[in-house]
Amino acid sequence: EAEPLYRRAIAIDEASLGPNNPELAKSLNNLGLLLSNQGKYVEAEPLYKSAIAISEAALGPDHPQLARCRSNLAKLQARKQHEDVSHLTSHTQKGQQVCCAVS
């Protein structure tokens, strides 16, 4: 239910404030956070990257809003990496079980 509301907020921000406004970056970051929490990493990552680009250009490299966006992107990348490792480990264990069952 929240996703369409975030997407609508982004459309409104972009139309009324322009594509380089820090408020738009906040909305992008918020939608990215929602999608990331739902495990939709592929969809969330470009939102974070856009929020970072907008925030850095509008607010400078040391602004707290930029730090939050970077932190959220880092968390997403860590989650993706953890899931990739877990997925590989799961497949390796299944392969070993099959191999052992054949012997």
Side-chain angles (χ1 to χ4, degrees):
E1 292 179 28
E3 185 176 341
L5 296 173
Y6 279 126
R7 291 194 186 279
R8 181 70 180 129
I10 288 168
I12 291 169
D13 286 348
E14 198 164 25
S16 62
L17 302 173
N20 301 312
N21 191 286
E23 290 302 314
L24 173 60
K26 284 182 188 178
S27 295
L28 291 167
N29 185 65
N30 289 341
L31 178 56
L33 186 59
L34 173 71
L35 294 172
S36 181
N37 287 337
Q38 294 174 343
K40 298 177 180 178
Y41 305 131
V42 173
E43 293 179 56
E45 190 167 6
L47 295 169
Y48 286 142
K49 289 181 177 180
S50 293
I52 288 168
I54 293 168
S55 296
E56 189 166 27
L59 303 171
D62 298 321
H63 195 276
Q65 181 173 322
L66 179 60
R68 281 189 293 278
C69 294
R70 286 187 194 274
S71 176
N72 288 338
L73 178 59
K75 289 175 190 173
L76 175 142
Q77 291 172 341
R79 285 182 192 154
K80 274 179 36 178
Q81 187 175 29
H82 175 74
E83 285 189 9
D84 288 345
V85 169
S86 295
H87 183 72
L88 286 175
T89 302
S90 172
H91 280 308
T92 301
Q93 290 171 347
K94 287 178 184 175
Q96 288 172 347
Q97 290 170 354
V98 171
C99 179
C100 294
V102 173
S103 300

